[in-house]
């Protein structure tokens, strides 16, 4: 199943790293239930809303909200909207006619007690110009109609978070005058953050595949020159791999791996909590520390081989390199700092650095022996990704993959097995994300393509690695195109990436008559096979 030496902790870490394979645009809005009844008067597009407020004439914090499927729309600019005084109706749930005067005001109603349309009808009949629904959690839910009957709501209805509602409620109960202005600036069709995310993803695969050449080019060239042009180096490669802690994946292991990843994903979906997130953070930090240490040491020793010569004798560990120990302490401090500040706006930088180092290291430890295993692994991953994003809502009533990636059930704290980049020109902020699995699955194939090209002494254009990287880049473009066409709904990135990487490799191999050699590479049969038209 897994050929090579692999500690149990490493196996568990591999599964956690590969669990998330989704590209998404993260926001705090819970998606509308597709089964919710709709009618002509209850089919409005949802709008993200800016809620500006003034307390006794002093401007306060701007809160976010989301409109309902019913009611009137809001202007895109604050200049086209007018402020109105905020009022607490009585009863506060707005499930009956208010005894408080609502005329010309924005009514603040708490969630619960009756349908959203019922609340809106009573508030509108009282003469209010808008209604804010205070949620009972720190999420924003898209409000829908409870039945398919026509509703007659002509005022905007907006949901705000629990903390925003509590802040406004506190100001009103203290006797302050609160004014509210609502507007809905549009989200840009394309945010340039995806460009940086694209570069990080492609760059990680390229670096992971070429890492051995980048860190030890002279040694690699020597081994390369010793190869006979017409003979496979599979025996030498296998021997070299046995000296390292390399995990060679076979077809059985690929299937079991995806099944195990699915099991972990379901466990995360049902038992996601703050303590479970901390378990993931600890695993991520351990992997990130090992990855950062490995990357820094290997790059440094390439420039300065004498750096690792000075050693110190430590209890329990024996003789260790002083330079390696310093790098390890730095990596631990970096990971701890990220974990402690992961809620800050700049934490994405540390998460991406740790994640990239971890993925480069994984691509050095795990290998695909041939295209046969790659086909099994990537096809299983393809089905895994599509199922848990698109088909799981039919069973679990929501997308399991997107729910886990978003951190629902854990206070909105997303799991760390993602690369993130902030949206630069989006007035709503947020992040574009891509799961580690969307980089590592194609990355394993790219790493194999590089080894195959090097073994067969293929040039850039006559080989497979360059075309596979181009295919991966194009697949990511298709992924983000699908993301925007589906209004930011998370996409199973492998739906686009597998055909653009594995598909390209198989088609090229067939056209060049080398498919059999690719399919059986690493076996005794492949060493005697010449290119053939199969």
């Amino acid at each position: 199943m897994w050929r090579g030496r692999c500690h149990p902790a490493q196996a568990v870490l591999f599964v956690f790293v590969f669990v998330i394979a989704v590209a998404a645009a993260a926001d705090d809005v819970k998606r509308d239930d597709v089964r919710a009844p709709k009618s002509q008067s209850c089919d409005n597009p949802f709008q993200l809303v800016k809620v500006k407020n003034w307390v006794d004439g002093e401007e306060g914090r701007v809160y976010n909200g989301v409109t309902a499927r019913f009611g009137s729309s809001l202007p895109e600019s604050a200049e086209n909207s007018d402020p109105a005084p905020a009022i607490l109706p009585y009863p506060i749930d707005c499930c009956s006619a208010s005894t408080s005067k609502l005329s010309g005001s924005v009514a603040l109603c708490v969630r619960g007690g009756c349908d959203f349309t019922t609340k809106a009808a009573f508030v509108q009949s009282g003469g209010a110009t808008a209604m804010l629904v205070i949620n009972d959690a720190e999420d924003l839910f898209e409000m829908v109609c409870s039945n398919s009957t026509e509703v007659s709501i002509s005022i905007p209805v907006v949901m705000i978070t629990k903390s925003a509602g509590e802040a406004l409620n506190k100001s009103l109960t203290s006797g302050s005058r609160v004014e509210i202005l609502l507007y809905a600036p549009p989200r840009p069709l394309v945010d340039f953050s995806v460009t940086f995310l694209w570069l990080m993803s492609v760059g990680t695969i390229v670096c992971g595949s070429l890492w051995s050449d980048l860190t030890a080019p002279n040694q690699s060239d020597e081994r390369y020159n010793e190869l006979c042009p017409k003979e496979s180096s599979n025996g030498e490669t296998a021997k070299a791999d046995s000296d390292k802690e390399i995990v060679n994946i076979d077809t059985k292991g690929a299937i079991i791996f995806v099944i195990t990843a699915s099991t972990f994903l379901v466990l995360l979906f049902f038992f996601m909590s703050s303590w479970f997130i901390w378990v993931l953070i600890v695993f991520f930090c351990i992997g990130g520390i090992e990855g950062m240490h490995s990357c820094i040491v290997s790059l440094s020793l390439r420039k300065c081989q004498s750096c690792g010569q000075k050693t110190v004798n430590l209890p329990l560990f024996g003789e260790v390199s002083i330079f390696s120990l310093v790098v390890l302490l730095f990596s631990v401090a970096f990971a701890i700092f990220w974990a402690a500040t992961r809620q800050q706006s700049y934490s994405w930088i540390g998460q991406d650095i740790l994640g990239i180092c971890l993925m480069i290291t994984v691509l050095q430890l795990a290998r695909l022996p041939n295209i046969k295993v790659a086909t099994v692994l990537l096809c299983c991953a393809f089905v895994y990704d599509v199922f848990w994003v698109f088909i799981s809502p039919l069973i679990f009533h929501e997308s399991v993959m997107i729910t886990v990636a978003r951190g629902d059930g854990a206070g909105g704290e997303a799991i760390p097995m993602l690369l993130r980049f902030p949206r630069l020109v989006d007035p709503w902020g947020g992040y574009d994300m891509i799961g580690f699995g969307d980089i590592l699955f194609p990355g394993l194939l790219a790493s194999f393509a590089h080894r195959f090209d090097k073994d067969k002494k293929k040039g850039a254009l006559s080989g497979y690695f360059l075309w596979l990287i181009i295919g991966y880049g194009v697949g990511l473009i298709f992924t983000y195109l699908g993301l925007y066409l589906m209004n930011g709904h998370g996409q199973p990135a492998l739906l686009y990436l597998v055909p653009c990487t594995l598909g390209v490799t198989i088609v090229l191999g067939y056209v060049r008559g080398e498919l059999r050699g690719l399919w059986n590479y690493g076996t005794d049969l492949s060493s005697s096979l010449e290119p053939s038209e199969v």
Side-chain angles (χ1 to χ4, degrees), residues 259-440:
I259 294 174
T260 305
S262 295
T263 303
F264 271 109
L265 190 66
V266 173
L267 290 175
L268 287 171
F269 177 76
F270 283 110
F271 302 104
M272 179 73 75
S273 60
S274 57
W275 70 266
F276 211 147
I277 287 291
W278 267 108
V279 171
L280 296 181
I281 289 174
V282 170
F283 271 105
F284 174 72
C285 288
I286 293 173
I289 290 169
E290 183 175 351
M292 177 176 283
H293 176 266
S294 175
C295 291
I296 294 177
V297 169
S298 57
L299 282 175
S300 301
L301 292 182
R302 178 198 174 193
K303 295 292 185 181
C304 178
Q305 295 184 0
S306 61
C307 294
Q309 294 180 355
K310 294 183 179 181
T311 62
V312 62
N313 198 348
L314 294 178
L316 302 179
F317 296 98
E319 192 175 16
V320 297
S321 167
I322 295 178
F323 177 74
S324 178
L325 181 61
V326 171
V327 173
L328 177 62
L329 294 176
F330 169 78
S331 301
V332 171
F334 188 92
I336 292 175
F337 177 79
W338 169 81
T341 61
R342 69 190 185 283
Q343 300 287 2
Q344 301 299 319
S345 59
Y346 53 81
S347 65
W348 64 271
I349 301 175
Q351 180 172 327
D352 289 352
I353 292 174
L354 290 171
I356 290 173
C357 291
L358 170 59
M359 286 187 284
I360 290 175
T361 303
V362 169
L363 291 177
Q364 305 308 300
L365 296 177
R367 285 185 178 179
L368 296 174
N370 48 49
I371 289 297
K372 179 174 69 174
V373 176
T375 301
V376 174
L377 178 64
L378 268 71
C379 287
C380 288
F382 177 92
V383 174
Y384 163 88
D385 211 11
V386 173
F387 177 84
W388 291 115
V389 174
F390 284 154
I391 302 177
S392 62
L394 302 177
I395 303 173
F396 300 94
H397 306 308
E398 57 183 326
S399 174
V400 172
M401 183 79 77
I402 295 174
T403 300
V404 171
R406 201 166 48 197
D408 295 0
E413 184 171 0
I415 69 173
M417 281 68 176
L418 299 158
L419 291 186
R420 300 189 300 158
F421 200 92
R423 298 178 189 148
L424 302 176
V425 297
D426 193 335
W428 298 100
Y431 296 87
D432 283 305
M433 306 181 299
I434 186 169
F436 286 179
D438 299 326
I439 300 173
L440 288 172

Side-chain angles (χ1 to χ4, degrees), residues 37 59 96 108 112 129 133-134 167 172 179 198 213-214 226 250 269 348 412 415 423 440 464:
E59 185 172 355
S96 59
L108 273 66
T129 59
V133 177
I134 303 173
L172 287 170
E179 291 184 303
W198 185 93
D213 298 339
L214 295 173
E226 291 174 359
D250 59 16
F269 177 76
W348 64 271
I415 69 173
R423 298 178 189 148
L440 288 172
Y464 294 89

Side-chain angles (χ1 to χ4, degrees), residues 226-236 454-457 521 526-528 530:
E226 291 174 359
L227 300 176
C228 179
K230 293 186 178 180
E231 292 181 357
S232 171
S233 63
N234 298 328
E236 295 184 22
K454 189 173 180 180
D455 182 18
K456 302 301 181 182
K457 295 187 177 180
Y521 182 78
S526 66
S527 61
S528 61
E530 297 294 333

Side-chain angles (χ1 to χ4, degrees), residues 191-207:
D191 192 281
F192 295 111
S193 64
V194 297
T195 303
F196 295 97
L197 205 58
W198 185 93
L199 290 172
M200 285 194 295
S201 302
V202 174
T204 299
I205 289 183
V206 172
C207 288

Side-chain angles (χ1 to χ4, degrees), residues 18 21 205 249-251 253-255 257-258 363 367-386 437-448 468 472 492-506:
F18 281 99
I205 289 183
I249 307 171
D250 59 16
T251 53
I255 296 173
F257 179 81
V258 174
L363 291 177
R367 285 185 178 179
L368 296 174
N370 48 49
I371 289 297
K372 179 174 69 174
V373 176
T375 301
V376 174
L377 178 64
L378 268 71
C379 287
C380 288
F382 177 92
V383 174
Y384 163 88
D385 211 11
V386 173
D438 299 326
I439 300 173
L440 288 172
F441 282 118
L444 289 172
L445 179 60
S447 182
F448 163 77
L468 199 150
Y472 179 78
L494 295 178
L495 172 66
Y496 310 93
L497 296 176
V498 171
C500 290
T501 53
L502 179 64
V504 166
T505 305
I506 291 177

